[in-house]
Amino acid sequence: MNDKYSKYETLVRAFHGDIYRYAVWLIKDATIAEDVVQETFMRAWKSLDSLQDEKAAKAWLITILRRENARRFERKQFDYVDDIEDIPLVDDTAINDGEPEQQALHNAIQSLSDEYREPLILQAMFGYSGEEIANMLELNKNTVMTRLFRARNQLKTLLAVDPLRGQYNG
Amino acid sequence: MDELTFRRAVLADPQTRDPEVIAAAKNNPQLHAFWSDIKAQDNALIKMLNATPVPNNLADKLLWQNQAQTSVAEFSPAKRQRPWYYAIAASVVIGLSATMLYLPTKDRSILDAAYAHTQHKHVFEILTSTTPTLDDINAKLSTFGGELAQGIGEVLSANFCSIKDHQSLHLLMGTQDNPTSVFVLPKHVDMGQLQEFNEATAHIIEFDDAKILVLGDVAETVSSIALQIHQELSF
């Protein structure tokens, strides 16, 4: 049992930051994100024996988190699903208010639909390949690459990048 | 590689090392400039995503939560250097093991678990207290279909937890010196008769769609909070 605890502690200390950051951007509410992260790691503890490849631990945790988040929506049933989309990211301390480009980028990311935002975050935050993201999201690779293309295309439009100067106009 | 294919490839993965993309950019300054712009946007995106602040002590909190829910029945971690509050938690658990012997009913496990959870939380909240707003609390209550009409006094924390595999919302109320716990539980949870044991007092409030368990050490405080809950909370 101590081996299991040691493995779990290593998992928590190594990945809690990445998993929390991913949850915040996925859920768009820092308080709820922390709760979902707690549920995720409790679920991970219960299923720790099923983690055979420790190199895949982060992807495994992301998959658990996505399921826990889906359960949250199931619990909310139908009346709350629409409302949660309107909740702004509570913890905006990552954004430097003095830099309008960052604020514009933040707003643009948040305005993307879930199907575009999620693969984009997985790729940009963790460097996952299209194939890895496809496995996590249970999509085919072409669909993922199309969504990534559309996500960045929308970002580019929203930010009104000047192709000659490479600067944000918004 | 034509321009459209190039743009799709770059937008799908600005960090690509595809030789065809590299060659196309090398031979076309406009495509090269486009790629540079998208890379700059992507680098800003990466920087922003990874700069999201992580709460202090989150790792300890996760480990703490795990110990709180599993340490009594499931495992005893290896001896190692740990923060001082682990020692406090261990002593609380040992103390509780004697206290719980006095619980008389067949459903005492729910109260046992809630009481033990409460004691853990009290210690933890002294270390890392966050004050949720009424909106925060109502957002979480909505998962049970509940809503508070207005504030019910000082709420130190509002966290989801699991009590004997039942999903619950745990509100820690009052002051750090005299905290009282309010658990929102699904209506199907059978908590048995009203309990009163040792220094802790338990009140159960039954709503149509949920049950509320109020636990604390001071009977007057528990009664007062139970009354507020009854008046202000609806499902």
Side-chain angles (χ1 to χ4, degrees):
Chain A
M1 191 60 74
N2 288 338
D3 286 344
K4 180 180 178 183
Y5 181 79
S6 178
K7 184 178 177 182
Y8 178 74
E9 184 173 6
T10 301
L11 196 74
V12 169
R13 295 204 183 282
F15 298 119
H16 75 279
D18 282 345
I19 297 301
Y20 173 79
R21 279 189 282 268
Y22 174 67
V24 168
W25 283 97
L26 178 69
I27 296 167
K28 299 196 281 189
D29 183 296
T31 304
I32 296 175
E34 185 171 340
D35 291 333
V36 176
V37 169
Q38 287 183 19
E39 295 295 330
T40 297
F41 276 96
M42 284 307 297
R43 185 77 61 175
W45 163 261
K46 291 174 184 172
S47 307
L48 199 57
D49 292 339
S50 68
L51 177 61
Q52 301 299 323
D53 180 6
E54 295 187 4
K55 291 178 182 174
K58 190 191 290 184
W60 181 68
L61 287 168
I62 288 170
T63 300
I64 295 174
L65 185 135
R66 294 185 70 250
R67 288 177 184 161
E68 289 301 315
N69 192 42
R71 284 194 183 93
R72 180 174 67 88
F73 276 94
E74 287 171 8
R75 287 195 297 267
K76 290 179 191 308
Q77 306 210 338
F78 302 107
D79 57 335
Y80 192 59
V81 172
D82 291 337
D83 295 341
I84 193 70
E85 294 299 328
D86 296 331
I87 295 176
L89 184 65
V90 171
D91 194 342
D92 278 352
T93 50
I95 311 304
N96 185 340
D97 291 337
E99 297 184 35
E101 294 90 349
Q102 284 202 358
Q103 188 61 56
L105 179 57
H106 171 266
N107 293 340
I109 296 167
Q110 296 295 56
S111 72
L112 295 176
S113 66
D114 289 348
E115 67 176 1
Y116 294 155
R117 191 175 67 252
E118 192 168 9
L120 181 67
I121 292 169
L122 287 170
Q123 187 188 61
M125 187 178 281
F126 302 128
Y128 283 127
S129 68
E131 191 165 353
E132 289 169 322
I133 295 169
N135 288 333
M136 273 184 270
L137 303 186
E138 297 177 339
L139 299 168
N140 70 51
K141 184 184 171 184
N142 287 340
T143 301
V144 168
M145 299 313 283
T146 298
R147 289 184 183 184
L148 287 168
F149 156 72
R150 289 178 179 168
R152 283 202 179 80
N153 211 23
Q154 287 186 14
L155 277 188
K156 186 165 103 31
T157 303
L158 289 165
L159 296 170
V161 174
D162 183 330
L164 296 177
R165 294 183 298 136
Q167 302 206 347
Y168 301 118
N169 293 333
Chain B
M1 178 178 279
D2 62 61
E3 184 172 334
L4 182 60
T5 305
F6 176 89
R7 288 175 183 270
R8 284 186 68 93
V10 165
L11 284 166
D13 183 6
Q15 313 298 331
T16 182
R17 293 169 182 257
D18 183 339
E20 288 189 47
V21 172
I22 294 171
K26 196 173 180 180
N27 296 326
N28 186 328
Q30 282 189 322
L31 295 184
H32 188 276
F34 175 81
W35 192 7
S36 295
D37 291 338
I38 297 304
K39 269 188 179 176
Q41 176 185 294
D42 205 53
N43 289 337
L45 173 66
I46 292 168
K47 184 179 177 184
M48 172 174 287
L49 293 176
N50 288 305
T52 307
V54 178
N56 291 333
N57 302 326
L58 179 59
D60 286 334
K61 186 173 182 180
L62 293 168
L63 294 168
W64 172 277
Q65 184 193 38
N66 174 273
Q67 281 200 316
Q69 297 199 12
T70 60
S71 62
V72 176
E74 193 170 357
F75 74 96
S76 176
K79 288 182 180 177
R80 67 187 72 190
Q81 190 69 34
R82 294 194 185 286
W84 59 270
Y85 47 81
Y86 278 79
I88 294 177
S91 64
V92 168
V93 171
I94 291 168
L96 283 172
S97 64
T99 304
M100 295 309 172
L101 295 176
Y102 296 101
L103 288 172
T105 72
K106 62 184 173 67
D107 296 308
R108 71 184 192 185
S109 60
I110 291 288
L111 285 167
D112 281 1
Y115 189 36
H117 184 87
T118 295
Q119 298 303 305
H120 287 297
K121 275 290 178 184
H122 289 181
V123 178
F124 183 76
E125 288 296 346
I126 290 170
L127 297 169
T128 56
S129 61
T130 55
T131 304
T133 65
L134 180 61
D135 286 343
D136 293 336
I137 296 168
N138 274 332
K140 293 181 177 180
L141 273 171
S142 69
T143 64
F144 292 88
E147 183 179 14
L148 274 172
Q150 58 183 352
I152 49 172
E154 186 76 16
V155 179
L156 300 173
S157 68
N159 290 305
F160 289 113
C161 62
S162 178
I163 303 296
K164 300 297 284 184
D165 293 330
H166 296 292
Q167 183 72 21
S168 174
L169 175 61
H170 178 203
L171 306 178
L172 189 53
M173 298 181 58
T175 65
Q176 292 184 348
D177 295 332
N178 178 26
T180 298
S181 282
V182 176
F183 291 95
V184 182
L185 289 151
K187 64 178 179 181
H188 61 77
V189 175
D190 185 358
M191 290 186 286
Q193 301 297 313
L194 193 67
Q195 301 290 318
E196 187 165 346
F197 46 92
N198 281 7
E199 297 178 351
T201 301
H203 281 239
I204 297 168
I205 309 167
E206 296 198 14
F207 289 88
D208 288 342
D209 294 321
K211 287 180 180 172
I212 309 295
L213 172 63
V214 185
L215 277 177
D217 293 330
V218 180
E220 291 77 10
T221 307
V222 171
S223 297
S224 171
I225 288 176
L227 181 61
Q228 278 184 294
I229 293 286
H230 192 265
Q231 290 174 340
E232 303 297 339
L233 184 58
S234 61
F235 286 87

